Amino acid sequence: MESRKLDGQTLRGFLSENALSRRTFLKRSAVVGLAVPSVSALLAACGGDDEEPAEDDEAEDESTDPGADTEDEEEPAEDDEDADEGDDAEEGEEAAGEGQVGGTLEVALIGEPPTFDLHQTTATIVALICWHMYEPLFTWDGEFEVTEELAESLEVSDDGMLNTLTLRQGVMFHNGDEMTSADVVASIERWGEISGLGGNLMALVDNIEQVDDYTIEFNMSEPYGAFAVALARQNQGCAIYPQSVIESSDETSLAENIGTGPYQFVEHQPDQHIILERFEDYVGREEESSGYAGAKNQYLDQLRFVPVPDDASRVSGLQAGDYHYLESIASDNYETLEGDENAEVEVLPPDGWATFVMNTESGPMANQTLRQAVQAALDHEEILIGAWGEDFYRLDPSIMLQETVWHSTVGEDLYNINDPERAQELMEEAGYEGETIRIMTTEEYAEQFAYATIGEQQLTDAGFTIEVEVFDWSTLVERRNDPEAWDIFTTGISFRVDPIQLPPLQGCDWPGWWCSDEKVEWNAPLEQAPEFEDRFEAFEEIQQLFYEQVPMIKFGDTISITARSPMLQNFQSTPTQLQPAFWNIWLEE
């Protein structure tokens, strides 16, 4: 059977020049765009700096993401002058001619993570921590191209019915075992039982054959054009765990937190800290670092994640030197931190969108007409201004951002309707009699609390009976899995490279449980079609359904700020619209 290998050359596509500069909203500067593709004509673009070529700081759901200014690197020492310093890397000495080895990075989180099992949740707080411990088969480089991580190569037969995955050899788990085909198959099968996207992929796998310790064949019942995309890094992505750990675990939790990543789990003291430390036997890739791809230099000794639920405490902790990086802060802190010598603050390109998620399975929101009434009642701009401020949002109907070639205005006539009279007509049509609608939110993300409180007032004015229930984020993430516990919940969907990564499009099991026949029908070509044009047609059909069936209400795109200590050096290796990675960076007084 003939096959084709999806190497870096094959994965490249064409450029799209529509990305917004990160400084547009505060400095009204010009824009520069850089677009990127991936497998099966996956095409995306990210914002670049308007003053310098966007090489490494290109720009992922449910919170804020990092900035990516390149710090000045130290000049390598002359060999003849430093030869007597010794060959061993001492504390404070340069490693690999670049960074300073040593130290503990202090990261202030918005609260406790609900789990350390990446298979379980799309929550960004989990990905922020756990992708340092675990690794996927594929990942994204600085131009949003899908590329190999634990995989060495992928070959796809011409008819798409056979995917042959070759693994890298010599990759070690934190428990001292080498990663083999058995671990990868066990991980994919478990992920397929838990994740909607994984389930969709596995539904088309007839059988999996472990050819040898480093080769796996996936025999398909139908072609699956987004095979590598599905197995690439993402929230609730397919992290690879040891088979022995999976055999000791169940579908709700991991027995041990063991992966192949550059940092390994050491300790979790609830409400105090999560500590990861350098994995000395880490076997990384040797390619040049780009985005999440390539070399992962372990300059830091430890990563310490500290739950700090109060926004003001995170800010003051950064100013006092207690923290080096803040997971999330409200945009109104920009002016406070901009002139502070103990902080570097940056405005990101649009990096996600704000939303109400509707419970389509039970309660009053299971009535589609009533969901349409809620959609009609809301003034999106008022919500966004209250939550983010004047310069930190963008009105746009697309569920894929303008910075991607997936952007579409389909359904815009149902976006930001802001018509309370129409809402009342739909309430009457739905037979609404004043039943209480529960909005579940959190104060740990200040903007989400604003969505709920401003939305409550608008919906009350339109004639709804609303009750806002406030929980810490970890509890909200757990409660949202119970269809009897809520009617609407607040969240944010972070930047996605491909629409199959959007949580509501990953099968029918993501909270809200959007599972109409039409959506399921169009999801198939979105995931399986080999050509971009066919996938894009399916995406637009799904977006139209999104506005007609109202599983969620998108308010608009959000523009975050990121804040970090000036001690944090070389913080440019991760695309700005995705989550930070704390390899390849170091601390410097």
Side-chain angles (χ1 to χ4, degrees):
M1 180 179 294
E2 294 184 1
S3 64
R4 60 189 187 277
K5 183 175 180 178
L6 299 183
D7 54 19
Q9 182 67 30
T10 307
L11 299 179
R12 293 186 180 274
F14 60 87
L15 299 179
S16 168
E17 300 180 341
N18 64 344
L20 291 181
S21 164
R22 72 185 67 171
R23 296 189 174 93
T24 298
F25 291 87
L26 291 183
K27 299 185 178 179
R28 311 300 188 213
S29 60
V31 294
V32 112
L34 177 64
V36 268
S38 72
V39 173
S40 305
L42 168 65
L43 305 167
C46 64
D49 193 295
D50 58 333
E51 297 176 356
E52 299 178 351
E55 294 180 352
D56 284 324
D57 70 335
E58 279 89 16
E60 172 175 311
D61 328 327
E62 302 184 10
S63 63
T64 58
D65 302 313
D69 283 347
T70 302
E71 303 291 348
D72 292 335
E73 296 182 357
E74 296 182 2
E75 293 295 327
E78 296 292 334
D79 292 342
D80 58 347
E81 294 180 2
D82 294 338
D84 59 350
E85 294 293 331
D87 295 330
D88 295 333
E90 302 291 342
E91 182 175 353
E93 186 178 344
E94 290 179 355
E98 293 183 352
Q100 188 166 283
V101 176
T104 296
L105 181 74
E106 302 281 350
V107 180
L109 304 174
I110 57 91
E112 274 286 308
T115 181
F116 297 117
D117 181 2
L118 272 167
H119 292 181
Q120 296 292 340
T121 180
T122 60
T124 299
I125 191 173
V126 176
L128 174 66
I129 299 168
C130 292
W131 280 126
H132 295 89
M133 297 190 289
Y134 314 127
E135 293 179 304
L137 292 164
F138 299 90
T139 192
W140 306 98
D141 69 12
E143 295 182 349
F144 292 157
E145 294 179 30
V146 69
T147 188
E148 297 85 355
E149 177 69 87
L150 293 175
E152 183 65 35
S153 65
L154 172 66
E155 293 187 14
V156 182
S157 63
D158 286 342
D159 62 4
M161 299 296 284
L162 176 65
N163 291 278
T164 302
L165 182 69
T166 302
L167 305 177
R168 290 168 51 211
Q169 300 186 25
V171 174
M172 305 304 294
F173 283 111
H174 301 153
N175 62 2
D177 295 338
E178 184 186 3
M179 180 194 72
T180 67
S181 298
D183 304 303
V184 172
V185 171
S187 297
I188 293 176
E189 289 178 340
R190 180 179 188 266
W191 177 68
E193 292 293 326
I194 297 171
S195 159
L197 180 57
N200 291 352
L201 170 60
M202 291 302 292
L204 299 182
V205 175
D206 267 347
N207 64 77
I208 302 175
E209 181 179 352
Q210 297 177 43
V211 178
D212 56 40
D213 281 349
Y214 308 106
T215 309
I216 308 168
E217 291 183 347
F218 295 80
N219 293 282
M220 313 298 293
S221 59
E222 296 181 37
Y224 193 89
F227 187 86
V229 177
L231 291 170
R233 173 185 167 128
Q234 57 191 287
N235 292 6
Q236 202 177 18
C238 186
I240 302 303
Y241 305 139
Q243 181 184 26
S244 59
V245 170
I246 292 174
E247 289 174 346
S248 301
S249 307
D250 57 29
E251 292 184 7
T252 62
S253 62
L254 279 177
E256 297 179 85
N257 303 311
I258 294 176
T260 62
Y263 290 87
Q264 61 184 342
F265 180 86
V266 174
E267 181 179 75
H268 175 216
Q269 293 190 15
D271 299 317
Q272 295 187 45
H273 62 232
I274 300 105
I275 295 178
L276 312 183
E277 69 179 20
R278 182 191 298 114
F279 176 42
E280 299 294 350
D281 293 326
Y282 176 64
V283 180
R285 300 195 70 93
E286 298 181 355
E287 298 90 339
E288 182 179 355
S289 298
S290 174
Y292 296 127
K296 299 179 181 179
N297 295 301
Q298 304 158 277
Y299 298 119
L300 299 164
D301 293 335
Q302 287 189 338
L303 311 179
R304 184 170 180 263
F305 299 90
V306 183
V308 186
D310 180 65
D311 188 81
S313 296
R314 293 195 294 277
V315 172
S316 62
L318 177 67
Q319 293 174 311
D322 297 332
Y323 311 122
H324 300 115
Y325 184 84
L326 308 185
E327 180 199 356
S328 172
I329 55 171
S331 55
D332 56 13
N333 288 300
Y334 181 80
E335 293 184 1
T336 301
L337 292 173
E338 188 177 21
D340 194 312
E341 64 180 11
N342 294 320
E344 292 189 1
V345 61
E346 181 181 8
V347 179
L348 301 177
D351 61 351
W353 44 274
T355 184
F356 274 174
V357 180
M358 308 295 212
N359 185 342
T360 68
E361 182 169 312
S362 67
M365 292 296 97
N367 184 317
Q368 178 173 304
T369 304
L370 193 60
R371 298 198 300 271
Q372 292 171 342
V374 173
Q375 180 184 56
L378 295 171
D379 179 345
H380 296 191
E381 190 155 26
E382 183 179 59
I383 291 172
L384 291 166
I385 290 174
W388 290 88
E390 289 282 354
D391 292 318
F392 295 91
Y393 72 90
R394 177 175 66 191
L395 291 172
D396 191 311
S398 183
I399 60 176
M400 290 295 290
L401 296 191
Q402 291 180 20
E403 288 71 25
T404 76
V405 296
W406 294 96
H407 180 264
S408 172
T409 58
V410 164
E412 65 180 338
D413 57 319
L414 296 175
Y415 172 73
N416 193 23
I417 300 171
N418 188 20
D419 187 346
E421 291 185 2
R422 176 57 180 157
Q424 291 169 1
E425 293 173 358
L426 289 166
M427 290 161 64
E428 183 177 354
E429 182 181 336
Y432 179 67
E433 297 181 349
E435 299 91 336
T436 297
I437 296 172
R438 299 162 296 170
I439 301 178
M440 185 168 63
T441 192
T442 183
E443 291 183 289
E444 291 178 355
Y445 288 118
E447 66 275 7
Q448 290 193 31
F449 185 68
Y451 307 159
T453 54
I454 299 171
E456 173 191 24
Q457 186 59 58
Q458 292 179 1
L459 293 173
T460 299
D461 290 346
F464 290 95
T465 302
I466 302 295
E467 178 182 352
V468 174
E469 299 179 334
V470 183
F471 301 93
D472 62 78
W473 180 242
S474 178
T475 300
L476 187 153
V477 170
E478 292 177 357
R479 283 177 57 88
R480 71 187 190 183
N481 293 311
D482 180 0
E484 304 302 322
W486 57 277
D487 302 309
I488 298 172
F489 75 80
T490 63
T491 193
I493 304 299
S494 63
F495 185 88
R496 293 298 199 270
V497 180
D498 189 284
I500 71 169
Q501 298 176 309
L502 291 170
L505 272 58
Q506 296 183 5
C508 296
D509 295 330
W510 192 70
W513 306 282
W514 183 30
C515 200
S516 70
D517 292 342
E518 300 93 335
K519 177 234 179 174
V520 172
E521 177 185 354
W522 283 108
N523 249 42
L526 178 64
E527 294 182 2
Q528 299 168 32
E531 300 299 331
F532 173 75
E533 291 78 8
D534 296 329
R535 297 189 69 210
F536 188 76
E537 178 186 4
F539 168 69
E540 289 202 309
E541 293 288 348
I542 291 171
Q543 181 164 300
Q544 183 66 42
L545 292 172
F546 179 91
Y547 279 100
E548 293 174 356
Q549 298 180 356
V550 202
M552 305 168 69
I553 296 175
K554 176 186 174 180
F555 302 134
D557 298 336
T558 56
I559 300 168
S560 304
I561 64 173
T562 181
R564 61 186 185 270
S565 165
M567 293 176 62
L568 203 57
Q569 302 293 300
N570 200 39
F571 196 80
Q572 90 291 340
S573 59
T574 306
T576 58
Q577 286 169 291
L578 302 178
Q579 299 159 314
F582 299 125
W583 52 77
N584 295 330
I585 66 172
W586 62 89
L587 296 172
E588 188 174 283
E589 294 289 347

